[in-house]
Amino acid sequence: MEIYDLIIIGGGPAGIAAGIYAARQKINTLLIAKDFGGQVAKKAVAIENYPGFAEISGLELIRKFEKHLRKQKIDIERDEVTKLKKIGKKFFVRTKNKHQIQARAVIIASGADPRSMEVPGEKKFIGKGVSYCVQCDGPLFANKEVAVIGGGNAGFEAAIFLAKIAKKIYILEAGPKIRADQTNQEIVKKTGKVEIITNVVFKKIQGEQFVKSIVYQDQRSKKEKTLPVEGVFVEIGSQPATSFVKDLVDFNEKDEIKVNPFAGETKTPGLFAAGDADNVPFKQIVIAAGEGAKAALAAYNYLQKLK
Ligand SMILES: Cc1cc2nc3c(=O)[nH]c(=O)nc-3n(C[C@H](O)[C@H](O)[C@H](O)COP(=O)(O)OP(=O)(O)OC[C@H]3O[C@@H](n4cnc5c(N)ncnc54)[C@H](O)[C@@H]3O)c2cc1C
């Protein structure tokens, strides 16, 4: 069985940067990714804080990342890692397509998945009105009424995106106050299409073949209300995509992998983590990319010592 020096798990900014740096160090590398883009591809409004690009769509930025990666001499596979273990000095990576690959070092750059509402009907209607990606699915809701779940910046940015498409948008927030910054609040107000409802306890999403409404309880009046909407966009944050790695790492209370922030080392020699999957604060593209680069260089040093 072929053994790679390094396997990188993830095709977002952290994984792609790690791949570019690993290739430049001439490490025999395999990058495995469920998709290319990660959270950046799902961003609803333009990115304005990645150096070199004053304003660029998430999709365009991540396509540039991917194009850069594909120029490198590394192997790339579209697959999902389901299990990671270490026996002796070797890592064994199992994927959904059922094969097992060996490596001497691994970088986990699997980022984060959207957090779900955990209400009846949510899972049933995924792809039938329930969405976690306004950029991908928003255009399907032309002239329709939709709900955005979450009153933070992500929710407000989703509403700004949808205001160009949908007839009416409700922003539903569980807390007593919205959390989006002032600029986003002003833009949302200007659209004239968005109604904000706070103090919401989500009860269920209902419909037949597709979503027809969302049911919630008003925390103040305790009355149950039904909003007739055809789309529900869930924007309530994310959770680290780290379920395939168990006892090889320590987790913090948010399920983020604990690393040494100098170079992304975990408690297991040869196993590194980078980007939103780890416990380094400030989840941003530039930070994830920087961590990916550091982890690849640290993996190179580790592999040199191993030889
Ligand atoms: C709505 C929203 C808006 C944002 N806006 C900005 C912004 O304006 N500016 C900014 O700098 N940052 C922004 N961010 C944050 C930024 O997107 C993240 O910090 C960044 O994408 C993290 O990169 P990452 O590579 O660690 O993870 P991700 O982008 O999450 O990528 C993870 C990758 O790993 C893959 N993967 C996951 N699990 C597996 C597995 N088991 N096997 C194989 N592959 C797997 C995924 O398919 C994906 O390719 C935003 C985030 C969100 C959600």
Side-chain angles (χ1 to χ4, degrees):
M1 195 190 289
E2 185 180 5
I3 173 159
Y4 282 94
D5 281 332
L6 175 65
I7 288 180
I8 298 166
I9 304 166
I16 291 177
I20 292 167
Y21 272 75
R24 290 176 64 80
Q25 296 301 107
K26 303 212 183 315
I27 305 173
N28 177 25
T29 303
L30 168 67
L31 185 147
I32 308 172
K34 251 192 324 192
D35 67 50
F36 278 94
Q39 297 167 72
V40 182
K42 295 174 187 149
K43 170 115 170 110
V45 296
I47 287 161
E48 297 178 350
N49 56 5
Y50 193 78
F53 300 94
E55 190 179 333
I56 185 165
S57 83
L59 209 55
E60 204 184 336
L61 180 64
I62 206 70
R63 289 293 162 258
K64 285 183 189 290
F65 271 51
E66 187 185 346
K67 199 169 162 198
H68 191 170
L69 175 75
R70 289 193 185 275
K71 283 192 177 153
Q72 314 302 315
K73 269 194 146 183
I74 64 167
D75 290 344
I76 295 171
E77 266 185 35
R78 279 287 277 274
D79 203 346
E80 180 177 347
V81 172
T82 52
K83 206 168 185 178
L84 175 65
K85 59 183 181 182
K86 190 178 186 194
I87 302 172
K89 287 190 174 164
K90 283 187 204 160
F91 289 93
F92 292 81
V93 175
R94 181 166 287 282
T95 70
K96 207 170 186 175
N97 292 344
K98 298 268 185 304
H99 59 244
Q100 187 154 271
I101 315 156
Q102 295 182 26
R104 294 185 177 89
V106 172
I107 297 174
I108 300 171
S110 48
D113 290 325
R115 199 172 286 284
S116 58
M117 296 167 71
E118 309 291 345
V119 293
E122 181 183 12
K123 287 220 161 62
K124 179 180 167 193
F125 289 110
I126 291 175
K128 294 171 183 164
V130 172
S131 170
Y132 303 88
C133 179
V134 74
Q135 169 88 25
C136 325
D137 301 327
L140 303 172
F141 294 85
N143 297 318
K144 296 191 168 154
E145 300 206 357
V146 297
V148 171
I149 311 302
N153 280 323
F156 271 63
E157 288 181 8
I160 294 165
F161 181 86
L162 286 163
K164 291 183 220 129
I165 301 162
K167 185 161 83 183
K168 163 128 196 178
I169 301 119
Y170 297 94
I171 294 179
L172 302 181
E173 162 62 36
K177 274 195 212 149
I178 47 174
R179 294 163 288 111
D181 64 33
Q182 208 53 41
T183 313
N184 279 332
Q185 289 189 40
E186 279 162 21
I187 303 172
V188 156
K189 201 170 175 189
K190 272 194 203 139
T191 67
K193 281 187 172 183
V194 182
E195 185 177 333
I196 298 162
I197 305 173
T198 55
N199 282 301
V200 164
V201 182
F202 300 105
K203 292 289 178 188
K204 60 182 165 188
I205 297 167
Q206 51 189 18
E208 285 161 18
Q209 204 186 341
F210 296 97
V211 168
K212 284 200 165 161
S213 59
I214 180 164
V215 181
Y216 70 91
Q217 185 191 48
D218 180 328
Q219 270 200 67
R220 283 160 295 207
S221 68
K222 304 286 176 217
K223 279 194 183 140
E224 208 159 272
K225 302 196 174 174
T226 302
L227 272 184
V229 290
E230 290 177 68
V232 177
F233 290 90
V234 185
E235 298 286 350
I236 50 173
S238 53
Q239 57 197 28
T242 50
S243 58
F244 57 87
V245 52
K246 296 261 173 330
D247 47 349
L248 292 181
V249 300
D250 287 329
F251 294 100
N252 68 6
E253 66 293 343
K254 294 184 201 156
D255 280 341
E256 295 166 337
I257 296 170
K258 287 188 182 175
V259 293
N260 164 5
F262 290 108
E265 293 109 334
T266 66
K267 72 171 184 184
T268 300
L271 181 59
F272 304 81
D276 283 17
D278 73 31
N279 67 335
V280 173
F282 313 123
K283 307 301 188 194
Q284 290 286 284
I285 301 163
V286 70
I287 292 169
E291 280 187 44
K294 276 199 297 184
L297 295 173
Y300 174 75
N301 288 345
Y302 170 82
L303 290 164
Q304 289 301 103
K305 280 187 201 142
L306 212 60
K307 280 174 190 165

